[in-house]
Amino acid sequence: MKVMCVVGTRPEAIKMAPVILALRESPWCALTVVATAQHRQMLDQVFGLFGITADIDLNLMRDNQTLADVTARALTGLDQVLAELKPDAVVAQGDTTTVLATAMACFYRRIPFCHVEAGLRTHNLEQPFPEEFNRMVASVVTRLHFAPTEGARDHLLNEHVPPANIHVTGNTVIDALLWMAAKQPTLPVQVTPGRRLILLTVHRRENFGEPLANICRAALSLVRNNPDVELLLPVHPNPHVKETVARMFGGQDRIHLTAPLEYDQFVAAMQRSYLIMTDSGGVQEEAPSLRKPVLVMREATERPEAITAGVALLVGTHENNIREQAQRLLDDDRHYATMASGASPYGDGAATQRIIGLLRGLAPA
Ligand code: UDP
C-alpha cells in the first residue's frame, strides 16, 4: 500500500513523527514523506531529532509569504506529487495551510485523505486567522478522521460526517512526548536548584500586539515578585514576537530568553518546570501528561478538555488575570496539587498504533 505523509511546520512534524516512524517499520506500507516546509528551520530540527528525512521537499517558505501565496504554491506542488506517485492514502495533521492544500489536492485527484487531529473547533470563523477554516474545509473531504477526543468526534458528527469515518484515537502528540521523555533529555539552560521554573511560550497571531505585551508584563512582574522563580522563554522566530519580547525584556536576573528549543530540550524544560504558561496548542496538550499545571493565555481554545478536567486554566490575555492565576499556583499548594494531579485527556501514548491499524484498512484489495 502506498501512503504519503505531508508535513509543513514544527507542530505537524512532532505530531506526525510517531506515525511516520511506525509506517516506515510497517512491511505492508511503501511510505513517501513530503515536506512543504511552510516553516523551514523548525521543521528540519524536529525531523533531525526523530531521524526522519523528507523524500520530497517542496521547500515553499518565502520571506513575507501571504497565506494565498503559500496555499497556491502548496496546492500546485502537492498536485504534481500526487499525479506522479498515485498514493492509496494521504495523511496530514492539524490545521495549517499545508493541511488545507493537501486535503484539496487529494479531493481533486480523488485520493483518500486521512486527517490526524480531526474535529477540533473554536466555532469562530470571524477571526482573520485561518486555522478554523483550514480544519473545517479539510473535514469536508476527509476519508478517515482521527479525532483525538470524544469532543472532537462530536463536532464532526454535528457536521454530518458519517460516524463510520470517525475514529477516536487519542492525540499523537502524547506518543511523541513519551518517546522523547524516555530519552531523558537535558535542559539547555542552568536553573538554580531549588528555584521554581516558569516556562513561557507565545506565538499565536491573535496575541500579536497588546495581548503579547500584557503577557510579557505579567511574566516580568511574576519574576520580580517571587525571588525563588526563574522564567524560561524560548522566543518564537516570528518578527512580531521577537520585537515585542526584545522591547519588554532585557538583561533581567532570573529570566532566560533563548532561541526556539529543539524538541528534546523543550521536553526537558517542561519536565523541569513548575508551571507552564502558553498560547500553544501542542504545549497545552503535552503539559497535563507531565502533570504540569498550564495557564492558557488565549480568549478561547479549541482544546477545552484539559480545562474541563481541571488541569489547565483559560486565563485570557489581560495582565492582571494572568498574574493572579499564576501567583495563586505559586502560593496555594492545594490548588497546585489539584491541577498537577489530573490525568491527560489527550491520549495514552497509543494513538499511533490505532491510526496505523485504521490506515491499513484502506489498502486496495
Ligand atoms: N516546542 C518546541 N520548542 C519550543 C517550543 C515548543 O519543540 O521552543 C514544541 C512543543 O513541545 C509542542 C510544539 O512545539 O509539541 C508546539 O508548537 P507551536 O506552539 O509552535 O504550535 P501549536 O501547537 O500552537 O500549533
Side-chain angles (χ1 to χ4, degrees):
M1 176 185 183
K2 289 194 281 183
V3 179
M4 185 171 125
C5 291
V6 187
V7 181
T9 65
R10 171 177 68 189
E12 288 164 74
I14 292 171
K15 289 172 172 177
M16 284 295 288
V19 176
I20 290 170
L21 294 180
L23 285 174
R24 197 151 265 174
E25 282 167 17
S26 301
W28 51 269
C29 174
L31 175 68
T32 305
V33 177
V34 179
T36 62
Q38 191 182 328
H39 292 164
R40 178 79 268 170
Q41 196 191 351
M42 296 199 292
L43 171 78
D44 292 346
Q45 274 185 356
V46 178
F47 269 6
L49 274 175
F50 282 92
I52 296 170
T53 322
D55 302 298
I56 298 173
D57 196 329
L58 298 178
N59 199 17
L60 293 180
M61 191 168 170
R62 300 283 179 278
D63 286 343
N64 303 318
Q65 55 193 3
T66 65
L67 289 172
D69 269 348
V70 194
T71 311
R73 282 186 282 115
L75 188 56
T76 316
L78 288 164
D79 183 60
Q80 279 166 11
V81 175
L82 291 181
E84 278 161 32
L85 288 181
K86 300 185 175 52
D88 300 301
V90 175
V91 190
Q93 181 279 336
D95 54 20
T96 61
T97 303
T98 293
V99 170
L100 173 72
T102 307
M104 284 168 66
C106 286
F107 176 74
Y108 294 146
R109 294 265 166 203
R110 313 310 297 167
I111 293 170
F113 173 68
C114 304
H115 192 197
V116 176
E117 200 178 87
L120 273 60
R121 295 290 183 268
T122 53
H123 301 294
N124 180 1
L125 273 172
E126 298 302 309
Q127 287 195 328
F129 315 113
E131 289 87 351
E132 181 81 353
F133 173 77
N134 293 344
R135 288 190 281 260
M136 291 185 72
V137 174
S139 293
V140 174
V141 301
T142 294
R143 169 68 183 78
L144 286 180
H145 303 257
F146 304 127
T149 63
E150 291 291 340
R153 179 172 185 272
D154 290 345
H155 293 146
L156 294 166
L157 289 174
N158 287 339
E159 291 168 17
H160 309 293
V161 173
N165 293 356
I166 313 171
H167 303 272
V168 178
T169 57
N171 197 313
T172 55
V173 78
I174 308 300
D175 308 24
L177 174 68
L178 299 180
W179 189 89
M180 200 47 93
K183 299 198 171 298
Q184 302 187 317
T186 49
L187 192 64
V189 295
Q190 289 285 342
V191 179
T192 308
R195 282 193 180 154
R196 295 185 286 182
L197 181 67
I198 296 180
L199 176 61
L200 172 65
T201 79
V202 262
H203 75 92
R204 208 162 274 279
R205 282 163 195 248
E206 70 208 41
N207 280 343
F208 292 172
E210 205 44 33
L212 186 51
N214 287 339
I215 291 167
C216 294
R217 275 192 282 272
L220 264 172
S221 82
L222 282 164
V223 174
R224 284 199 190 116
N225 296 339
N226 297 278
D228 72 328
V229 161
E230 292 189 30
L231 180 82
L232 170 57
L233 168 52
V235 184
H236 194 274
N238 185 291
H240 292 275
V241 179
K242 277 170 113 169
E243 185 276 319
T244 309
V245 169
R247 185 161 45 81
M248 305 288 298
F249 296 96
Q252 284 98 347
D253 219 18
R254 293 181 283 120
I255 294 183
H256 309 272
L257 301 181
T258 68
L261 298 182
E262 301 248 358
Y263 187 52
D264 56 341
Q265 299 174 332
F266 192 77
V267 170
M270 287 194 286
Q271 289 174 314
R272 173 62 180 83
S273 69
Y274 179 82
L275 160 65
I276 299 175
M277 296 167 55
T278 191
D279 64 4
S280 155
V283 177
Q284 228 176 112
E285 292 158 344
E286 291 164 329
S289 280
L290 298 173
R291 307 214 174 253
K292 303 296 176 180
V294 58
L295 299 184
V296 180
M297 300 177 300
R298 297 177 63 189
E299 302 303 335
T301 174
E302 60 291 305
R303 295 168 168 87
E305 292 85 354
I307 292 156
T308 309
V311 294
L313 277 175
L314 190 64
V315 296
T317 53
H318 292 287
E319 181 189 344
N320 284 350
N321 196 44
I322 297 170
R323 195 183 43 234
E324 280 162 22
Q325 297 292 349
Q327 192 62 50
R328 186 169 169 219
L329 280 163
L330 291 168
D331 293 342
D332 182 343
D333 290 348
R334 229 199 220 171
H335 175 52
Y336 184 90
T338 310
M339 280 195 70
S341 63
S344 168
Y346 297 113
D348 56 3
T352 301
Q353 285 318 315
R354 295 183 190 106
I355 288 171
I356 300 297
L358 291 158
L359 283 174
R360 194 173 185 184
L362 287 184

mmCIF file with all atom_site columns, all heavy atoms in Angstrom, residues 84-106:
data_model
loop_
_atom_site.group_PDB
_atom_site.id
_atom_site.type_symbol
_atom_site.label_atom_id
_atom_site.label_alt_id
_atom_site.label_comp_id
_atom_site.label_asym_id
_atom_site.label_entity_id
_atom_site.label_seq_id
_atom_site.pdbx_PDB_ins_code
_atom_site.Cartn_x
_atom_site.Cartn_y
_atom_site.Cartn_z
_atom_site.occupancy
_atom_site.B_iso_or_equiv
_atom_site.pdbx_formal_charge
_atom_site.auth_seq_id
_atom_site.auth_comp_id
_atom_site.auth_asym_id
_atom_site.auth_atom_id
_atom_site.pdbx_PDB_model_num
ATOM 1   N N   . GLU A 1 84  ? 2.205  12.059 -9.799  1.00 0.00 ? 84  GLU A N   1
ATOM 2   C CA  . GLU A 1 84  ? 3.318  11.140 -10.065 1.00 0.00 ? 84  GLU A CA  1
ATOM 3   C C   . GLU A 1 84  ? 3.233  9.877  -9.214  1.00 0.00 ? 84  GLU A C   1
ATOM 4   O O   . GLU A 1 84  ? 3.413  8.769  -9.692  1.00 0.00 ? 84  GLU A O   1
ATOM 5   C CB  . GLU A 1 84  ? 4.648  11.834 -9.775  1.00 0.00 ? 84  GLU A CB  1
ATOM 6   C CG  . GLU A 1 84  ? 5.119  12.722 -10.918 1.00 0.00 ? 84  GLU A CG  1
ATOM 7   C CD  . GLU A 1 84  ? 6.167  13.734 -10.461 1.00 0.00 ? 84  GLU A CD  1
ATOM 8   O OE1 . GLU A 1 84  ? 6.940  13.406 -9.538  1.00 0.00 ? 84  GLU A OE1 1
ATOM 9   O OE2 . GLU A 1 84  ? 6.167  14.847 -11.022 1.00 0.00 ? 84  GLU A OE2 1
ATOM 10  N N   . LEU A 1 85  ? 2.958  10.058 -7.926  1.00 0.00 ? 85  LEU A N   1
ATOM 11  C CA  . LEU A 1 85  ? 3.049  8.917  -7.002  1.00 0.00 ? 85  LEU A CA  1
ATOM 12  C C   . LEU A 1 85  ? 1.783  8.068  -6.949  1.00 0.00 ? 85  LEU A C   1
ATOM 13  O O   . LEU A 1 85  ? 1.842  6.898  -6.606  1.00 0.00 ? 85  LEU A O   1
ATOM 14  C CB  . LEU A 1 85  ? 3.349  9.410  -5.589  1.00 0.00 ? 85  LEU A CB  1
ATOM 15  C CG  . LEU A 1 85  ? 4.742  9.934  -5.309  1.00 0.00 ? 85  LEU A CG  1
ATOM 16  C CD1 . LEU A 1 85  ? 4.847  10.358 -3.849  1.00 0.00 ? 85  LEU A CD1 1
ATOM 17  C CD2 . LEU A 1 85  ? 5.796  8.866  -5.593  1.00 0.00 ? 85  LEU A CD2 1
ATOM 18  N N   . LYS A 1 86  ? 0.664  8.682  -7.179  1.00 0.00 ? 86  LYS A N   1
ATOM 19  C CA  . LYS A 1 86  ? -0.630 7.992  -7.074  1.00 0.00 ? 86  LYS A CA  1
ATOM 20  C C   . LYS A 1 86  ? -0.742 7.164  -5.795  1.00 0.00 ? 86  LYS A C   1
ATOM 21  O O   . LYS A 1 86  ? -0.924 5.940  -5.829  1.00 0.00 ? 86  LYS A O   1
ATOM 22  C CB  . LYS A 1 86  ? -0.859 7.088  -8.287  1.00 0.00 ? 86  LYS A CB  1
ATOM 23  C CG  . LYS A 1 86  ? -0.875 7.839  -9.597  1.00 0.00 ? 86  LYS A CG  1
ATOM 24  C CD  . LYS A 1 86  ? -1.237 6.905  -10.746 1.00 0.00 ? 86  LYS A CD  1
ATOM 25  C CE  . LYS A 1 86  ? -1.384 7.644  -12.058 1.00 0.00 ? 86  LYS A CE  1
ATOM 26  N NZ  . LYS A 1 86  ? -0.267 8.516  -12.440 1.00 0.00 ? 86  LYS A NZ  1
ATOM 27  N N   . PRO A 1 87  ? -0.620 7.805  -4.621  1.00 0.00 ? 87  PRO A N   1
ATOM 28  C CA  . PRO A 1 87  ? -0.711 7.056  -3.366  1.00 0.00 ? 87  PRO A CA  1
ATOM 29  C C   . PRO A 1 87  ? -2.119 6.505  -3.141  1.00 0.00 ? 87  PRO A C   1
ATOM 30  O O   . PRO A 1 87  ? -3.085 7.021  -3.707  1.00 0.00 ? 87  PRO A O   1
ATOM 31  C CB  . PRO A 1 87  ? -0.360 8.104  -2.292  1.00 0.00 ? 87  PRO A CB  1
ATOM 32  C CG  . PRO A 1 87  ? -0.645 9.418  -2.918  1.00 0.00 ? 87  PRO A CG  1
ATOM 33  C CD  . PRO A 1 87  ? -0.435 9.260  -4.389  1.00 0.00 ? 87  PRO A CD  1
ATOM 34  N N   . ASP A 1 88  ? -2.201 5.458  -2.306  1.00 0.00 ? 88  ASP A N   1
ATOM 35  C CA  . ASP A 1 88  ? -3.508 4.889  -1.959  1.00 0.00 ? 88  ASP A CA  1
ATOM 36  C C   . ASP A 1 88  ? -4.161 5.690  -0.843  1.00 0.00 ? 88  ASP A C   1
ATOM 37  O O   . ASP A 1 88  ? -5.377 5.632  -0.662  1.00 0.00 ? 88  ASP A O   1
ATOM 38  C CB  . ASP A 1 88  ? -3.338 3.433  -1.517  1.00 0.00 ? 88  ASP A CB  1
ATOM 39  C CG  . ASP A 1 88  ? -2.728 2.596  -2.626  1.00 0.00 ? 88  ASP A CG  1
ATOM 40  O OD1 . ASP A 1 88  ? -3.338 2.549  -3.705  1.00 0.00 ? 88  ASP A OD1 1
ATOM 41  O OD2 . ASP A 1 88  ? -1.630 2.036  -2.426  1.00 0.00 ? 88  ASP A OD2 1
ATOM 42  N N   . ALA A 1 89  ? -3.342 6.395  -0.050  1.00 0.00 ? 89  ALA A N   1
ATOM 43  C CA  . ALA A 1 89  ? -3.880 7.237  1.028   1.00 0.00 ? 89  ALA A CA  1
ATOM 44  C C   . ALA A 1 89  ? -2.861 8.323  1.346   1.00 0.00 ? 89  ALA A C   1
ATOM 45  O O   . ALA A 1 89  ? -1.650 8.119  1.191   1.00 0.00 ? 89  ALA A O   1
ATOM 46  C CB  . ALA A 1 89  ? -4.156 6.410  2.273   1.00 0.00 ? 89  ALA A CB  1
ATOM 47  N N   . VAL A 1 90  ? -3.370 9.472  1.778   1.00 0.00 ? 90  VAL A N   1
ATOM 48  C CA  . VAL A 1 90  ? -2.509 10.595 2.156   1.00 0.00 ? 90  VAL A CA  1
ATOM 49  C C   . VAL A 1 90  ? -2.873 11.010 3.577   1.00 0.00 ? 90  VAL A C   1
ATOM 50  O O   . VAL A 1 90  ? -4.065 11.073 3.924   1.00 0.00 ? 90  VAL A O   1
ATOM 51  C CB  . VAL A 1 90  ? -2.696 11.778 1.179   1.00 0.00 ? 90  VAL A CB  1
ATOM 52  C CG1 . VAL A 1 90  ? -1.892 12.990 1.636   1.00 0.00 ? 90  VAL A CG1 1
ATOM 53  C CG2 . VAL A 1 90  ? -2.293 11.368 -0.231  1.00 0.00 ? 90  VAL A CG2 1
ATOM 54  N N   . VAL A 1 91  ? -1.846 11.272 4.395   1.00 0.00 ? 91  VAL A N   1
ATOM 55  C CA  . VAL A 1 91  ? -2.081 11.613 5.800   1.00 0.00 ? 91  VAL A CA  1
ATOM 56  C C   . VAL A 1 91  ? -1.447 12.972 6.091   1.00 0.00 ? 91  VAL A C   1
ATOM 57  O O   . VAL A 1 91  ? -0.296 13.219 5.721   1.00 0.00 ? 91  VAL A O   1
ATOM 58  C CB  . VAL A 1 91  ? -1.430 10.565 6.740   1.00 0.00 ? 91  VAL A CB  1
ATOM 59  C CG1 . VAL A 1 91  ? -1.893 10.783 8.185   1.00 0.00 ? 91  VAL A CG1 1
ATOM 60  C CG2 . VAL A 1 91  ? -1.730 9.142  6.288   1.00 0.00 ? 91  VAL A CG2 1
ATOM 61  N N   . ALA A 1 92  ? -2.201 13.842 6.765   1.00 0.00 ? 92  ALA A N   1
ATOM 62  C CA  . ALA A 1 92  ? -1.631 15.098 7.254   1.00 0.00 ? 92  ALA A CA  1
ATOM 63  C C   . ALA A 1 92  ? -2.298 15.437 8.580   1.00 0.00 ? 92  ALA A C   1
ATOM 64  O O   . ALA A 1 92  ? -3.349 14.871 8.921   1.00 0.00 ? 92  ALA A O   1
ATOM 65  C CB  . ALA A 1 92  ? -1.819 16.224 6.238   1.00 0.00 ? 92  ALA A CB  1
ATOM 66  N N   . GLN A 1 93  ? -1.680 16.347 9.323   1.00 0.00 ? 93  GLN A N   1
ATOM 67  C CA  . GLN A 1 93  ? -2.126 16.616 10.695  1.00 0.00 ? 93  GLN A CA  1
ATOM 68  C C   . GLN A 1 93  ? -2.482 18.088 10.887  1.00 0.00 ? 93  GLN A C   1
ATOM 69  O O   . GLN A 1 93  ? -1.753 18.957 10.402  1.00 0.00 ? 93  GLN A O   1
ATOM 70  C CB  . GLN A 1 93  ? -0.996 16.212 11.662  1.00 0.00 ? 93  GLN A CB  1
ATOM 71  C CG  . GLN A 1 93  ? -1.286 16.386 13.135  1.00 0.00 ? 93  GLN A CG  1
ATOM 72  C CD  . GLN A 1 93  ? -1.092 17.827 13.620  1.00 0.00 ? 93  GLN A CD  1
ATOM 73  O OE1 . GLN A 1 93  ? -0.338 18.581 13.005  1.00 0.00 ? 93  GLN A OE1 1
ATOM 74  N NE2 . GLN A 1 93  ? -1.783 18.215 14.664  1.00 0.00 ? 93  GLN A NE2 1
ATOM 75  N N   . GLY A 1 94  ? -3.548 18.357 11.602  1.00 0.00 ? 94  GLY A N   1
ATOM 76  C CA  . GLY A 1 94  ? -3.756 19.691 12.151  1.00 0.00 ? 94  GLY A CA  1
ATOM 77  C C   . GLY A 1 94  ? -4.545 20.663 11.298  1.00 0.00 ? 94  GLY A C   1
ATOM 78  O O   . GLY A 1 94  ? -5.510 20.280 10.634  1.00 0.00 ? 94  GLY A O   1
ATOM 79  N N   . ASP A 1 95  ? -4.112 21.933 11.320  1.00 0.00 ? 95  ASP A N   1
ATOM 80  C CA  . ASP A 1 95  ? -4.959 23.000 10.782  1.00 0.00 ? 95  ASP A CA  1
ATOM 81  C C   . ASP A 1 95  ? -4.182 24.066 10.023  1.00 0.00 ? 95  ASP A C   1
ATOM 82  O O   . ASP A 1 95  ? -4.589 25.213 9.931   1.00 0.00 ? 95  ASP A O   1
ATOM 83  C CB  . ASP A 1 95  ? -5.727 23.651 11.945  1.00 0.00 ? 95  ASP A CB  1
ATOM 84  C CG  . ASP A 1 95  ? -4.794 24.123 13.057  1.00 0.00 ? 95  ASP A CG  1
ATOM 85  O OD1 . ASP A 1 95  ? -3.589 24.295 12.787  1.00 0.00 ? 95  ASP A OD1 1
ATOM 86  O OD2 . ASP A 1 95  ? -5.271 24.321 14.190  1.00 0.00 ? 95  ASP A OD2 1
ATOM 87  N N   . THR A 1 96  ? -3.040 23.676 9.472   1.00 0.00 ? 96  THR A N   1
ATOM 88  C CA  . THR A 1 96  ? -2.229 24.672 8.764   1.00 0.00 ? 96  THR A CA  1
ATOM 89  C C   . THR A 1 96  ? -2.641 24.771 7.294   1.00 0.00 ? 96  THR A C   1
ATOM 90  O O   . THR A 1 96  ? -3.450 23.978 6.801   1.00 0.00 ? 96  THR A O   1
ATOM 91  C CB  . THR A 1 96  ? -0.743 24.286 8.786   1.00 0.00 ? 96  THR A CB  1
ATOM 92  O OG1 . THR A 1 96  ? -0.642 23.027 8.120   1.00 0.00 ? 96  THR A OG1 1
ATOM 93  C CG2 . THR A 1 96  ? -0.208 24.178 10.195  1.00 0.00 ? 96  THR A CG2 1
ATOM 94  N N   . THR A 1 97  ? -2.015 25.711 6.608   1.00 0.00 ? 97  THR A N   1
ATOM 95  C CA  . THR A 1 97  ? -2.214 25.840 5.167   1.00 0.00 ? 97  THR A CA  1
ATOM 96  C C   . THR A 1 97  ? -1.806 24.551 4.458   1.00 0.00 ? 97  THR A C   1
ATOM 97  O O   . THR A 1 97  ? -2.420 24.153 3.468   1.00 0.00 ? 97  THR A O   1
ATOM 98  C CB  . THR A 1 97  ? -1.362 27.032 4.662   1.00 0.00 ? 97  THR A CB  1
ATOM 99  O OG1 . THR A 1 97  ? -1.755 28.175 5.396   1.00 0.00 ? 97  THR A OG1 1
ATOM 100 C CG2 . THR A 1 97  ? -1.544 27.274 3.192   1.00 0.00 ? 97  THR A CG2 1
ATOM 101 N N   . THR A 1 98  ? -0.776 23.911 4.960   1.00 0.00 ? 98  THR A N   1
ATOM 102 C CA  . THR A 1 98  ? -0.346 22.635 4.374   1.00 0.00 ? 98  THR A CA  1
ATOM 103 C C   . THR A 1 98  ? -1.484 21.623 4.399   1.00 0.00 ? 98  THR A C   1
ATOM 104 O O   . THR A 1 98  ? -1.728 20.909 3.418   1.00 0.00 ? 98  THR A O   1
ATOM 105 C CB  . THR A 1 98  ? 0.868  22.083 5.171   1.00 0.00 ? 98  THR A CB  1
ATOM 106 O OG1 . THR A 1 98  ? 1.969  22.961 4.946   1.00 0.00 ? 98  THR A OG1 1
ATOM 107 C CG2 . THR A 1 98  ? 1.235  20.678 4.743   1.00 0.00 ? 98  THR A CG2 1
ATOM 108 N N   . VAL A 1 99  ? -2.208 21.545 5.503   1.00 0.00 ? 99  VAL A N   1
ATOM 109 C CA  . VAL A 1 99  ? -3.314 20.593 5.619   1.00 0.00 ? 99  VAL A CA  1
ATOM 110 C C   . VAL A 1 99  ? -4.426 20.955 4.648   1.00 0.00 ? 99  VAL A C   1
ATOM 111 O O   . VAL A 1 99  ? -4.970 20.084 3.952   1.00 0.00 ? 99  VAL A O   1
ATOM 112 C CB  . VAL A 1 99  ? -3.845 20.564 7.069   1.00 0.00 ? 99  VAL A CB  1
ATOM 113 C CG1 . VAL A 1 99  ? -5.134 19.781 7.152   1.00 0.00 ? 99  VAL A CG1 1
ATOM 114 C CG2 . VAL A 1 99  ? -2.794 19.981 7.984   1.00 0.00 ? 99  VAL A CG2 1
ATOM 115 N N   . LEU A 1 100 ? -4.749 22.221 4.592   1.00 0.00 ? 100 LEU A N   1
ATOM 116 C CA  . LEU A 1 100 ? -5.802 22.673 3.669   1.00 0.00 ? 100 LEU A CA  1
ATOM 117 C C   . LEU A 1 100 ? -5.442 22.288 2.235   1.00 0.00 ? 100 LEU A C   1
ATOM 118 O O   . LEU A 1 100 ? -6.245 21.696 1.506   1.00 0.00 ? 100 LEU A O   1
ATOM 119 C CB  . LEU A 1 100 ? -5.954 24.197 3.779   1.00 0.00 ? 100 LEU A CB  1
ATOM 120 C CG  . LEU A 1 100 ? -6.891 24.837 2.767   1.00 0.00 ? 100 LEU A CG  1
ATOM 121 C CD1 . LEU A 1 100 ? -8.339 24.507 3.081   1.00 0.00 ? 100 LEU A CD1 1
ATOM 122 C CD2 . LEU A 1 100 ? -6.706 26.349 2.740   1.00 0.00 ? 100 LEU A CD2 1
ATOM 123 N N   . ALA A 1 101 ? -4.205 22.612 1.835   1.00 0.00 ? 101 ALA A N   1
ATOM 124 C CA  . ALA A 1 101 ? -3.783 22.339 0.456   1.00 0.00 ? 101 ALA A CA  1
ATOM 125 C C   . ALA A 1 101 ? -3.736 20.833 0.194   1.00 0.00 ? 101 ALA A C   1
ATOM 126 O O   . ALA A 1 101 ? -4.121 20.376 -0.889  1.00 0.00 ? 101 ALA A O   1
ATOM 127 C CB  . ALA A 1 101 ? -2.416 22.972 0.197   1.00 0.00 ? 101 ALA A CB  1
ATOM 128 N N   . THR A 1 102 ? -3.290 20.068 1.169   1.00 0.00 ? 102 THR A N   1
ATOM 129 C CA  . THR A 1 102 ? -3.210 18.612 0.978   1.00 0.00 ? 102 THR A CA  1
ATOM 130 C C   . THR A 1 102 ? -4.608 18.031 0.786   1.00 0.00 ? 102 THR A C   1
ATOM 131 O O   . THR A 1 102 ? -4.847 17.218 -0.117  1.00 0.00 ? 102 THR A O   1
ATOM 132 C CB  . THR A 1 102 ? -2.529 17.947 2.198   1.00 0.00 ? 102 THR A CB  1
ATOM 133 O OG1 . THR A 1 102 ? -1.281 18.582 2.436   1.00 0.00 ? 102 THR A OG1 1
ATOM 134 C CG2 . THR A 1 102 ? -2.296 16.466 1.967   1.00 0.00 ? 102 THR A CG2 1
ATOM 135 N N   . ALA A 1 103 ? -5.528 18.450 1.652   1.00 0.00 ? 103 ALA A N   1
ATOM 136 C CA  . ALA A 1 103 ? -6.891 17.931 1.558   1.00 0.00 ? 103 ALA A CA  1
ATOM 137 C C   . ALA A 1 103 ? -7.505 18.283 0.205   1.00 0.00 ? 103 ALA A C   1
ATOM 138 O O   . ALA A 1 103 ? -8.130 17.442 -0.454  1.00 0.00 ? 103 ALA A O   1
ATOM 139 C CB  . ALA A 1 103 ? -7.733 18.497 2.700   1.00 0.00 ? 103 ALA A CB  1
ATOM 140 N N   . MET A 1 104 ? -7.299 19.527 -0.226  1.00 0.00 ? 104 MET A N   1
ATOM 141 C CA  . MET A 1 104 ? -7.876 19.942 -1.513  1.00 0.00 ? 104 MET A CA  1
ATOM 142 C C   . MET A 1 104 ? -7.247 19.175 -2.677  1.00 0.00 ? 104 MET A C   1
ATOM 143 O O   . MET A 1 104 ? -7.943 18.707 -3.576  1.00 0.00 ? 104 MET A O   1
ATOM 144 C CB  . MET A 1 104 ? -7.671 21.454 -1.715  1.00 0.00 ? 104 MET A CB  1
ATOM 145 C CG  . MET A 1 104 ? -8.628 22.290 -0.889  1.00 0.00 ? 104 MET A CG  1
ATOM 146 S SD  . MET A 1 104 ? -8.161 24.033 -0.874  1.00 0.00 ? 104 MET A SD  1
ATOM 147 C CE  . MET A 1 104 ? -8.416 24.484 -2.576  1.00 0.00 ? 104 MET A CE  1
ATOM 148 N N   . ALA A 1 105 ? -5.933 19.042 -2.629  1.00 0.00 ? 105 ALA A N   1
ATOM 149 C CA  . ALA A 1 105 ? -5.246 18.328 -3.721  1.00 0.00 ? 105 ALA A CA  1
ATOM 150 C C   . ALA A 1 105 ? -5.744 16.882 -3.791  1.00 0.00 ? 105 ALA A C   1
ATOM 151 O O   . ALA A 1 105 ? -5.979 16.346 -4.883  1.00 0.00 ? 105 ALA A O   1
ATOM 152 C CB  . ALA A 1 105 ? -3.736 18.374 -3.510  1.00 0.00 ? 105 ALA A CB  1
ATOM 153 N N   . CYS A 1 106 ? -5.935 16.255 -2.638  1.00 0.00 ? 106 CYS A N   1
ATOM 154 C CA  . CYS A 1 106 ? -6.448 14.871 -2.612  1.00 0.00 ? 106 CYS A CA  1
ATOM 155 C C   . CYS A 1 106 ? -7.865 14.826 -3.187  1.00 0.00 ? 106 CYS A C   1
ATOM 156 O O   . CYS A 1 106 ? -8.225 13.906 -3.918  1.00 0.00 ? 106 CYS A O   1
ATOM 157 C CB  . CYS A 1 106 ? -6.467 14.333 -1.179  1.00 0.00 ? 106 CYS A CB  1
ATOM 158 S SG  . CYS A 1 106 ? -4.834 13.946 -0.566  1.00 0.00 ? 106 CYS A SG  1
#
